[in-house]
């Protein structure tokens, strides 16, 4: 057995925490129940449906008091009814602004958005908000910006405070279809509706839509089926029912095609059904809702198969069948369809609303012209005794306040000891090796990482744990080859070494790349944890950002790198302790390690290696090569990491700190991946709680903390997450300040002029803290973080190339300054081209930049030749003494 197989076996047996679960909706006996009937005797089609402040609201709609088969006319309604408890009764709550049906409706935290709709005369473009005032038991109506054009039989969904509407038909003519797609930001109503890329394919109406998290955890809009009406060449009606499926990503603004609806037999066994036995199953005019963390259920729908006869003539409504009661399940992770069972009665032209732990489907049309007052409800796992609520109480807030005050006290304590820039940037090189090691680990473990690793294991498997394992060869190289050079030169920044080895230009360019990347990073490392913490604790997002930004700025300005390192030590202890506690709680709740092992062996949640060839997926070689070069970048080029192991007394102490970092990283990697898998097992065993999980995957761990850990203990762990975010910010502030002062101001000062830049360093730290905090608030306000993500991605692609420059500096005597610059720029350009023009797995980007820089830089140096190769004799004297290079 190979070493990797032994390792994989060891990992599996040591941390076998994975679930065995079937798709939660894959059952022929879905738990449907009937709620009190809608107080409209014959029911309605196309009702206004939604929920707000705990109330289920249904109003408007249309029906045929005199049956359609008897020549009756459609009647439109404006009455609104409210259900406050599942046992009833329905209460009359008022009236809509006009008689209305077939509007696009969606529930938001502000109320129900009602967009468009029609009555007997027209199709409308007006949009309004229905609000339920629980204390006053009354309904309110507020106008919103009108749609760009009229729309009926469209679809609406909300993701957060943004509402998305797919246009339906623009007039009473069923052939006059819109095909438009709009977005309205409820926090920016003055902007109005914004046009987005239309749904791929022909314009249609009566689509089925829902929102659900995709494979990356992003909440997306899913759209299925729909139809259009046309005419044949002979002038006969033609009804086209679609079976395609699409996903819209709000972050990218693009549509993606999904698996089409499946080929299914018609359960109604109707005459002529054999003609469709190989056809896909349309669900036109049906409804859908999110179910659990990875499924969407679709309910009923029209197949359009029995509207016209063999001669192409319309079949009378009285001869058409009831709509099928079929329920389908779409798995967003597997991109696959399955039959989930059936509902009591098949209905179309209504909605599926999640309310009171149920997916509620009120009224609707059971066959052409025939409505039902029946209110069907599917019990969602997570109601009753299995439900749970978050608790972040007064004691938790007190603990959080004390923890943050302790961070400030650390800064004040070390402020009295900072007498020079040497103290501020390197702590006088007096940091104990164990504290430096914990700080190196802490600066790599941001709050985002602490939340993201378990979320990754929860939703996927253990492939990414290779990243922790590949740290061993990286640290062997760093300790043997990089550390002696950095320590002998007594550098303050890693980029000083590049000047000693190559030239000032190489030093300044490398330092500038680091500074720009960290500037772009600061806002994100504050914003994302703030959003997650706000969602589970109730603390305002802006307050979270302000607390973290202001406090981190104060203690970093006062205490310098000493405060940064010692707060890192405290943060690491708290986070690891919190993760261990969460893991223990999850294991105990599912019956111990034994059941965990069984669940793991029955599933593939612990899967690590795919021994296949390919460069687009996370196969074994991609993980090994990719993570090796990815880990190489921070430990050889990133000032936030290198600065830590330069704060110790000597080279031996620095080496110990790096080894300690490794010793911590691998077990905690197992801990965090194990926690994610254990949470998957736990929530699989508690589907009621699973249905209540936050939409965003990175909120999983803080949600578990505030719902399962005791009051006070939860406050400590949440405080640790705060501190982890602050650690990322303080690292950036102190390291940027170090680079600016040493690589630019100090280096470019007038020769012979010596100054103490402690005051400048502190001013810079304050400015950087304001910039980071302001950037996070700006991103939170305008939600343009994806632009910053793009900015970071481009700058991040320089990392592999920059590591290549350091490899050339350490291991090549023949590389010169020109070759290093050409290699750096060429490697970065090559990486950017590969990232944006190919489907190569992102883990390989660092390897491409690194190897590209090394090969091109070395070749260029050989080609141009000339002096200047290792001008200071650094490499020859690697095992001997060397004087400090002046900066």
């Amino acid at each position: 057995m190979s070493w990797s197989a032994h390792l994989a076996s060891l990992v599996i047996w040591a941390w076998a925490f994975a679930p065995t679960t079937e798709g939660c909706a894959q059952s022929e006996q879905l738990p449907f129940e009937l709620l009190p009937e809608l107080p409209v005797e014959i029911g309605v089609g196309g009702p206004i449906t939604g929920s707000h402040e705990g109330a289920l609201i249904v109003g408007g709609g249309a029906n045929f008091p005199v049956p359609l088969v008897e020549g009756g006319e459609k009647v439109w309604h404006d009455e609104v009814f409210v259900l406050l408890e599942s046992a009833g009764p329905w209460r009359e709550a008022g009236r809509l602004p006009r008689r209305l049906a077939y509007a696009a409706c969606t529930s938001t935290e502000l109320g129900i958005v009602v967009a468009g709709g029609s009555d007997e005369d027209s199709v409308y473009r007006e949009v309004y908000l229905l609000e339920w005032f629980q204390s006053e038991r009354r309904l309110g109506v507020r106008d919103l910006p009108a749609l760009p054009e009229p729309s009926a039989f469209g679809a609406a969904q909300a993701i957060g405070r943004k509402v998305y509407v797919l246009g339906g038909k623009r007039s009473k003519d069923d052939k006059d279809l819109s095909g438009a797609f709009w977005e309205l930001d409820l926090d920016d109503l003055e902007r109005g509706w914004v046009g987005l890329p239309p749904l791929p394919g022909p314009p249609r109406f009566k689509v089925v839509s829902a929102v659900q998290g995709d494979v990356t955890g992003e909440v997306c809009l899913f759209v299925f089926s729909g139809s259009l009406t046309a005419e044949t060449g002979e002038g006969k009606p033609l009804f086209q029912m679609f079976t395609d499926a699409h996903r819209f990503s709000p972050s990218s603004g693009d549509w993606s095609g999904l698996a089409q609806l499946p080929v299914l037999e018609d359960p109604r066994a109707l005459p002529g059904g054999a003609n469709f036995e190989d056809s896909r199953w349309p669900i036109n005019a049906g409804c859908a809702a999110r179910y659990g963390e990875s499924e969407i259920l679709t309910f009923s729908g029209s197949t359009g198969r029995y509207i016209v006869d063999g001669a192409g003539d319309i079949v009378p409504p009285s001869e058409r069948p009831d709509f099928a009661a079929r329920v389908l399940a779409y798995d967003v992770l597997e991109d696959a369809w399955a039959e989930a069972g059936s509902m009591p009665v098949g209905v179309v032209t209504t909605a599926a609303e999640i309310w009171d732990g149920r997916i509620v489907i009120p009224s609707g049309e059971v066959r052409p012209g025939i409505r039902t007052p029946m209110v069907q409800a599917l019990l969602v796992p997570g109601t009753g005794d299995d439900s749970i609520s978050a608790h972040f109480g007064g004691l938790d807030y007190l603990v959080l306040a004390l923890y943050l005050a302790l961070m400030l006290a650390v800064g004040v304590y070390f402020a009295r000891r900072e007498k020079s820039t040497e103290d501020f940037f390197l702590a006088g090189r007096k940091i104990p090796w164990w504290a430096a090691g914990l700080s190196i680990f802490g600066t790599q473990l941001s709050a985002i990482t602490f939340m993201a690793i378990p979320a990754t294991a929860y939703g996927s498997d253990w492939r990414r744990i290779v990243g922790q394992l590949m740290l061993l060869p990286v640290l062997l190289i760093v300790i043997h080859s990089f550390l002696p050079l950095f320590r002998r030169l007594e550098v303050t920044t890693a980029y000083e070494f590049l000047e000693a080895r190559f030239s000032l230009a190489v030093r300044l360019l490398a330092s500038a790349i680091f500074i720009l990347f960290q500037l772009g990073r600061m806002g994100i490392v504050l914003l994302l944890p703030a959003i997650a913490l706000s969602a589970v604790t109730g603390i305002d997002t802006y307050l979270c950002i302000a607390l973290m930004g202001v406090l981190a700025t104060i203690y970093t300005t006062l205490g310098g790198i000493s405060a940064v390192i010692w707060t890192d030590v405290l943060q690491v202890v708290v986070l690891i302790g919190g993760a261990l506690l969460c893991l223990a709680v999850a294991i105990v709740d599912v019956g111990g390690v034994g059941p965990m092992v069984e669940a793991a062996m029955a599933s593939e949640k612990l899967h690590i290696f795919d021994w296949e060839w390919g460069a687009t997926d996370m196969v074994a070689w991609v993980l090994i090569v990719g993570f090796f070069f990815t880990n190489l970048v921070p430990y050889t080029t990133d000032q936030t990491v290198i600065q830590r192991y330069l704060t110790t007394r000597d080279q031996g102490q620095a080496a110990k700190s790096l080894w300690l970092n490794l010793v911590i990283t691998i077990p905690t990697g197992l801990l965090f991946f194990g926690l994610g898998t254990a949470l998957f097992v736990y929530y699989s065993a508690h589907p009621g709680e699973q249905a209540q999980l936050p939409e965003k995957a990175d909120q999983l761990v803080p949600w578990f903390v505030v719902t399962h850990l005791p009051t006070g203990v939860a406050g400590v762990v949440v405080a640790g997450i705060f501190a982890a975010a602050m650690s990322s910010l303080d690292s950036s502030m102190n390291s940027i300040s170090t680079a600016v002062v040493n690589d630019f101001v100090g280096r470019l000062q007038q020769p012979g002029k010596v100054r103490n830049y402690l005051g400048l360093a502190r001013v810079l730290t304050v400015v950087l803290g304001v910039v980071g905090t302001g950037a996070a608030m700006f991103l939170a306000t305008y939600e343009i973080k994806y632009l910053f993500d793009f900015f970071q991605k481009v700058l991040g692609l320089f990392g592999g190339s920059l590591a290549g420059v350091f490899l050339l500096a350490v291991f090549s005597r023949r590389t010169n300054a020109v070759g290093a610059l050409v290699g750096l720029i060429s490697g970065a350009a090559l990486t950017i081209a590969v990232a944006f023009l190919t489907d190569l797995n992102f883990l390989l980007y660092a390897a491409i930049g690194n190897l590209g820089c090394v090969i091109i830089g070395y070749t260029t140096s050989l080609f141009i030749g000339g002096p200047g190769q290792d001008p200071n004799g650094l490499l020859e004297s690697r095992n001997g003494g060397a004087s400090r290079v002046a900066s």
Side-chain angles (χ1 to χ4, degrees):
M1 185 180 288
S2 67
W3 68 269
S4 57
H6 280 296
L7 180 60
S9 299
L10 176 63
V11 169
I12 288 173
W13 284 103
W15 289 87
F17 308 128
T20 173
T21 180
E22 301 295 330
C24 60
Q26 309 306 309
S27 168
E28 291 299 323
Q29 298 297 323
L30 291 172
F32 272 96
E33 61 181 348
L34 298 180
L35 301 186
E37 291 189 348
L38 194 69
V40 178
E41 184 177 356
I42 59 174
V44 292
I48 308 304
T49 303
S51 60
H52 186 227
E53 293 297 323
L56 178 66
I57 301 172
V58 179
N63 59 14
F64 291 86
V66 177
L68 176 62
V69 296
E70 299 177 14
E73 296 290 331
K74 182 180 287 189
V75 174
W76 308 74
H77 296 265
D78 60 2
E79 305 93 342
V80 179
F81 303 96
V82 171
L83 190 64
L84 301 179
E85 299 176 355
S86 59
W90 285 94
R91 307 166 185 266
E92 190 164 350
R95 295 184 179 274
L96 300 173
R98 63 158 51 92
R99 293 184 175 90
L100 194 71
Y102 311 115
C105 304
T106 185
S107 300
T108 74
E109 62 183 69
L110 300 180
I112 305 168
V113 176
V114 181
S118 65
D119 60 15
E120 63 269 30
D121 298 318
S122 301
V123 173
Y124 298 98
R125 56 189 292 264
E126 283 76 17
V127 181
Y128 52 85
L129 190 73
L130 285 182
E131 302 171 279
W132 176 251
F133 298 95
Q134 178 65 23
S135 60
E136 304 171 35
R137 297 293 179 93
R138 69 175 180 88
L139 191 71
V141 180
R142 180 154 56 99
D143 289 335
L144 295 177
L147 293 172
E149 61 186 19
S151 174
F153 291 99
Q157 293 291 342
I159 299 178
R161 288 175 175 254
K162 289 188 175 180
V163 177
Y164 298 88
V165 170
L166 289 146
K169 66 176 189 176
R170 294 178 290 199
S171 67
K172 299 296 286 185
D173 182 357
D174 284 355
K175 295 188 290 295
D176 183 17
L177 301 182
S178 168
F181 181 41
W182 305 291
E183 173 194 84
L184 176 66
D185 188 341
L186 295 178
D187 291 325
D188 188 9
L189 296 179
E190 291 186 3
R191 189 182 182 198
W193 292 90
V194 177
L196 297 175
L199 180 72
R204 63 191 73 183
F205 67 154
K206 301 180 183 178
V207 299
V208 177
S209 67
V211 295
Q212 176 62 284
D214 68 358
V215 293
T216 69
E218 180 188 8
V219 180
C220 296
L221 171 65
F222 291 79
V223 178
F224 315 112
S225 196
S227 64
L228 64 79
T229 304
E231 291 183 352
T232 66
E234 294 77 27
K236 294 185 176 182
L238 176 66
F239 301 95
Q240 183 175 356
M241 305 287 170
F242 297 100
T243 58
D244 52 352
H246 304 272
R247 177 186 64 241
F248 177 78
S249 165
S251 63
S252 67
D254 295 327
W255 290 95
S256 302
L258 305 174
Q260 293 195 57
L261 285 151
V263 175
L264 298 171
E265 293 184 3
D266 195 325
R268 297 169 292 183
L270 299 170
N275 297 328
F276 308 103
E277 61 183 8
D278 295 324
S279 301
R280 297 188 181 275
W281 185 263
I283 52 173
N284 176 61
C287 57
R290 170 182 177 171
Y291 193 83
E293 286 300 297
S294 64
E295 286 187 304
I296 294 172
L297 296 188
T298 70
F299 303 92
S300 191
S302 170
T303 64
R305 295 175 177 179
Y306 306 100
I307 299 178
V308 295
D309 59 21
D313 296 320
I314 294 287
V315 174
S318 60
E319 299 177 16
R320 297 182 207 168
D322 291 348
F323 296 112
R326 172 170 273 158
V327 179
L328 300 179
Y330 174 72
D331 189 318
V332 300
L333 302 182
E334 300 295 331
D335 188 25
W337 290 90
E339 285 203 73
S342 59
M343 58 196 301
V345 176
V347 289
V348 300
T349 62
T350 184
E353 178 67 20
I354 298 177
W355 173 77
D356 194 30
R358 299 163 172 83
I359 299 175
V360 181
I361 305 169
S363 200
E365 186 175 355
V366 297
R367 64 186 302 173
I370 305 297
R371 275 57 168 164
T372 176
M374 185 182 295
V375 179
Q376 304 174 76
L378 173 62
L379 189 66
V380 175
T383 59
D385 294 336
D386 206 17
S387 63
I388 195 165
S389 60
H391 54 82
F392 199 78
L395 182 58
D396 294 309
Y397 284 110
L398 177 61
V399 169
L400 175 59
L402 291 174
Y403 192 101
L404 297 178
L406 179 59
M407 299 293 101
L408 277 180
V410 171
V412 172
Y413 174 78
F414 285 106
R416 295 175 297 174
R417 302 188 172 201
E418 308 295 338
K419 306 300 182 183
S420 67
T421 51
E422 176 87 359
D423 295 330
F424 192 80
F425 296 139
L426 296 176
R429 301 188 192 270
K430 297 177 182 178
I431 296 293
W433 64 269
W434 57 269
L438 288 173
S439 182
I440 292 171
F441 173 78
T443 196
Q444 294 291 85
L445 177 67
S446 68
I448 299 173
T449 306
F450 174 75
M451 296 184 291
I453 292 178
T456 297
Y458 177 91
S460 181
D461 52 28
W462 281 36
R463 298 184 197 197
R464 290 175 176 83
I465 201 170
V466 176
Q468 275 74 23
L469 305 179
M470 292 310 297
L471 188 58
L472 173 59
V474 168
L475 289 187
L476 286 172
I477 294 173
V478 170
I479 292 172
H480 178 267
S481 300
F482 284 80
L483 184 58
L485 292 171
F486 288 158
R487 292 300 309 214
R488 274 204 324 278
L489 291 171
E490 295 185 1
V491 297
T492 301
T493 74
Y495 318 112
E496 293 179 51
F497 168 69
L498 293 181
E499 179 183 3
R501 177 63 182 84
F502 293 127
S503 69
L504 176 61
V506 178
R507 173 184 179 177
L508 296 181
L509 178 58
S511 184
I513 292 172
F514 164 77
I515 291 170
L516 287 173
F517 178 75
Q518 292 297 324
L519 284 172
R521 177 176 178 264
M522 288 194 299
I524 296 296
V525 299
L526 274 186
L527 173 64
L528 297 185
I531 292 173
L533 290 169
S534 175
V536 300
T537 64
I539 304 174
D540 182 76
T541 300
Y542 294 97
L543 179 58
C544 286
I545 293 171
L547 281 173
M548 293 186 291
V550 171
L551 293 178
T553 301
I554 293 173
Y555 73 69
T556 306
T557 301
L558 293 174
I561 192 64
S562 295
V564 171
I565 288 176
W566 288 107
T567 53
D568 283 351
V569 170
L570 184 59
Q571 161 237 323
V572 167
V573 172
V574 171
L575 285 187
I576 292 178
L580 284 169
L581 186 57
C582 290
L583 179 62
V585 170
I587 291 175
V588 170
D589 248 336
V590 296
V593 175
M596 287 282 193
V597 173
E598 281 185 37
M601 301 307 291
S603 68
E604 295 189 356
K605 293 296 290 184
L606 295 176
H607 178 71
I608 298 176
F609 294 114
D610 281 329
W611 299 106
E612 300 175 0
W613 179 254
T616 58
D617 299 320
M618 289 189 179
V619 295
W621 81 268
V622 169
L623 292 168
I624 293 170
V625 173
F627 276 120
F628 171 79
F629 283 99
T630 299
N631 283 331
L632 193 64
V633 173
Y635 286 91
T636 60
T637 74
D638 191 337
Q639 179 65 19
T640 62
V641 176
I642 295 170
Q643 191 168 342
R644 262 64 170 183
Y645 61 74
L646 294 179
T647 59
T648 56
R649 185 178 66 249
D650 53 38
Q651 180 178 326
Q653 296 275 301
K656 284 184 179 180
S657 72
L658 288 170
W659 284 123
L660 177 61
N661 170 60
L662 176 67
V663 169
I664 299 172
T665 296
I666 293 179
T668 52
L670 296 173
L671 169 63
F672 293 142
F673 277 90
L675 173 58
T677 309
L679 291 179
F680 186 90
V681 176
Y682 174 82
Y683 284 115
S684 296
H686 298 79
E689 292 187 42
Q690 185 181 49
Q692 294 179 281
L693 289 175
E695 293 182 349
K696 295 184 178 180
D698 59 5
Q699 297 172 7
L700 173 68
V701 172
W703 174 260
F704 189 83
V705 167
V706 299
T707 55
H708 288 81
L709 297 190
T711 300
V713 177
V716 173
V717 180
V718 169
I721 299 175
F722 264 87
M726 293 159 64
S727 172
S728 299
L729 180 64
D730 64 31
S731 297
S732 294
M733 288 190 296
N734 188 265
S735 296
I736 293 174
S737 177
T738 304
V740 171
V741 169
N742 287 273
D743 294 327
F744 290 91
V745 179
R747 176 60 183 84
L748 300 177
Q749 71 175 352
Q750 184 179 354
K753 187 177 182 181
V754 179
R755 289 182 56 186
N756 185 351
Y757 288 106
L758 181 58
L760 174 61
R762 284 183 165 148
V763 170
L764 275 173
T765 304
V766 172
V767 171
L768 290 167
V770 172
V771 168
T773 306
M777 290 189 172
F778 180 77
L779 295 176
T781 301
Y782 293 98
E783 296 190 1
I784 60 169
K785 58 180 176 290
Y786 301 109
L787 179 61
F788 274 67
D789 285 345
F790 176 79
F791 167 71
Q792 265 208 271
K793 179 179 179 181
V794 172
L795 282 176
L797 295 177
F798 280 81
S801 184
L802 190 56
V805 170
F806 275 89
L807 288 180
L808 287 171
V810 172
F811 293 107
S812 168
R813 289 178 170 83
R814 305 193 64 178
T815 304
N816 55 35
V818 175
L821 285 172
V822 171
L824 173 58
I825 296 170
S826 300
L830 178 62
T831 310
I832 292 172
V834 168
F836 289 98
L837 300 179
T838 74
D839 294 327
L840 209 63
N841 191 281
F842 69 93
L843 285 175
L844 296 176
Y845 294 167
I848 291 169
N850 198 305
L851 296 176
C853 174
V854 169
I855 294 171
I856 296 172
Y858 186 77
T859 303
T860 302
S861 298
L862 291 180
F863 180 76
I864 63 175
Q869 296 139 356
D870 192 17
N872 294 294
L874 300 177
L875 305 184
E876 286 78 359
S877 60
R878 180 175 300 177
N879 297 317
S883 61
R884 186 179 187 277
V885 176
S887 56

